[in-house]
Amino acid sequence: MGNCLYPVQPSPSVSNNWTKLNLENYSWEDWDMPYEPLDYNDPSIEAAAPCHSCNLLDDSSLPFFIVASVLGTLASGTVLLALIKPLFHWELCRGRPILIQLAVGSAAFSVVVPILAPGLSSSHSTTLCCLGHWVWYSSAFAQALLIGCRACLGPKLDVFQVSRLTLGLTVGLWGMAALLALPITLASDTSQGLCTLTSSRGLGTLQYMHAAVCFAVFFLLPLGLVGAKGLKKTLGRGPGPWVDILWVWFTFWWLHGVVLGLDSLVRSGVLPLQTCLAQQILDLVLQLAEALAIFHCVAMPLLLALFCHRTSHTSFSSLPLHARQSSHVDTLGGKS
C-alpha cells in the first residue's frame, strides 16, 4: 500500500510507446464499433482501481520515533537505577528482580526504536534491520511473559523464594522470548532504505508464525489471566492471578496482536476484504497499533515507578518504628 498523498502515476514510457505503435496494418473499419456508454457505477471498475492507503509512519514520523526513544531510555534508566541502588525504599517491593528485568526490557526496546524508524535510510542494513526487529520483539515478549509470570506467582514473591527462582526465571523467560522473536528476525529485510518484511513467498510462513505469536502473547495471555482470575474468584478457589497496575502494559500491545493477526488472515486470503475502504481502515489501524506499542517504552517506566512508590509506601508504613529508622539510615548511607 502506498501513501495516499502520492498516488501512482502512469509511466511516461507507456504513453510514448503507445504513440509509436505501427498502425499501418490496421483498418479504421476494425475500429468502427458501436459506442456503448460506460457505467461508472459498475463495481468491477471500482475493484480494478488501485487502492492507496495513507502511510502514517512515514519519513515525517521520524521525530516521534526519536522522542519516544529518548524519553523511554531516560525514564527506563532512571527507574532501573532506583531499583538497583535501591532508592526511595524500593527494596521493599516484592519481586524486585522481576521489576528490574521489566525496566531492562523497556530500556532495550527504547534503544532500538530509531533503528526501525523511517527516514534513516542511510543507517539501514539487512543485519541492522534483523537485529532491530529481534531486540524489539524479544524485549516486548519478555516483558509480557514477566508480567504474566509475576501475576501467577503473586504473594509467593518474597525475599527467600525469589533468590532461588530468579536465575531460572531469567534464563527461561528471556530464552523463550528470544526464540519467539526468531520468525520476524528471519523475515526482516530492507527495501528502498526502509526496514521491512521481505516479500519472498518462501518466508511467508515466518510472517504468519510471527502474527500467531503476537496474537497469543499480546492478546490471549492477558485474556487468559483475566479469565483465570474471574474463574477462581467465582469458584472460591483462591485469589487467582495477582492483579496490579503493571497489567496496564498489555493495553499498549493487545491491539497490535489482534490487528496483526487480522492482517495475516487478509493477506492469506482466508478473510478477503470486499472494498478498498476496508483495506484502508485495516492499514490505518495497523499503523496506529504500532505507534501505540512504541509509546509503551515511555509508559512502562512510569508504571514501574508508580507501582514501586505505592508498594514501598505501604510496606514501609507497616514496619515497626525501629525497622523504619534502620531502613532510613541504610537509605541515607546508600545515597552517600
Side-chain angles (χ1 to χ4, degrees):
M1 296 301 167
N3 193 313
C4 61
L5 300 178
Y6 304 97
V8 178
Q9 300 292 339
S11 175
S13 61
V14 176
S15 301
N16 295 336
N17 293 335
W18 174 258
T19 58
K20 295 179 181 179
L21 290 176
N22 186 4
L23 300 179
E24 295 178 356
N25 296 328
Y26 293 90
S27 172
W28 289 107
E29 296 180 356
D30 297 335
W31 295 86
D32 187 13
M33 295 181 295
Y35 172 77
E36 296 182 1
L38 184 62
D39 183 10
Y40 289 96
N41 295 323
D42 189 353
S44 61
I45 297 179
E46 182 180 358
C51 183
H52 303 289
S53 297
C54 292
N55 189 7
L56 297 180
L57 301 179
D58 55 6
D59 293 352
S60 63
S61 63
L62 180 60
F64 167 73
F65 282 82
I66 295 178
V67 171
S69 176
V70 172
L71 293 180
T73 303
L74 292 177
S76 299
T78 303
V79 172
L80 185 61
L81 178 63
L83 285 168
I84 295 176
K85 186 67 177 173
L87 304 175
F88 314 115
H89 304 291
W90 283 8
E91 71 276 6
L92 301 176
C93 295
R94 279 183 172 178
R96 190 160 60 95
I98 292 184
L99 301 180
I100 292 175
Q101 294 179 60
L102 289 173
V104 170
S106 179
F109 184 95
S110 303
V111 170
V112 299
V113 164
I115 296 179
L116 304 180
L120 295 178
S121 57
S122 60
S123 64
H124 282 157
S125 65
T126 303
T127 303
L128 196 61
C129 179
C130 293
L131 179 62
H133 270 133
W134 183 73
V135 177
W136 177 299
Y137 281 101
S138 292
S139 60
F141 292 151
Q143 291 177 77
L145 295 176
L146 286 168
I147 294 175
C149 180
R150 186 178 177 280
C152 294
L153 291 178
K156 297 179 181 179
L157 291 172
D158 54 39
V159 178
F160 300 101
Q161 290 173 328
V162 166
S163 61
R164 296 194 299 266
L165 293 176
T166 300
L167 181 60
L169 287 175
T170 301
V171 175
L173 295 181
W174 283 92
M176 182 180 298
L179 291 176
L180 292 177
L182 282 181
I184 185 66
T185 303
L186 298 177
S188 300
D189 198 0
T190 55
S191 176
Q192 298 179 353
L194 297 177
C195 188
T196 181
L197 300 181
T198 181
S199 57
S200 175
R201 291 186 176 181
L203 298 179
T205 305
L206 295 175
Q207 300 182 25
Y208 297 142
M209 291 174 59
H210 172 68
V213 170
C214 289
F215 183 77
V217 174
F218 298 142
F219 181 75
L220 294 182
L221 176 59
L223 185 64
L225 293 175
V226 173
K229 179 70 176 180
L231 185 61
K232 282 203 169 188
K233 187 175 181 180
T234 302
L235 299 178
R237 297 184 178 180
W242 200 7
V243 181
D244 51 46
I245 196 174
L246 296 181
W247 281 32
V248 177
W249 182 91
F250 285 107
T251 62
F252 294 93
W253 281 97
W254 73 269
L255 182 62
H256 183 74
V258 172
V259 179
L260 199 61
L262 182 62
D263 182 68
S264 296
L265 293 179
V266 172
R267 293 178 182 275
S268 63
V270 176
L271 186 64
L273 299 180
Q274 302 299 328
T275 63
C276 177
L277 179 61
Q279 181 64 60
Q280 291 174 339
I281 293 176
L282 178 61
D283 293 339
L284 177 64
V285 176
L286 190 62
Q287 296 193 49
L288 289 176
E290 183 178 350
L292 184 63
I294 293 173
F295 188 72
H296 99 274
C297 65
V298 180
M300 186 59 184
L302 301 180
L303 294 175
L304 286 171
L306 182 59
F307 171 79
C308 291
H309 174 72
R310 289 181 176 180
T311 304
S312 60
H313 180 73
T314 303
S315 302
F316 186 75
S317 301
S318 61
L319 291 176
L321 180 59
H322 65 87
R324 293 189 211 174
Q325 294 175 348
S326 176
S327 177
H328 183 68
V329 171
D330 293 340
T331 303
L332 292 178
K335 290 181 180 180
S336 61

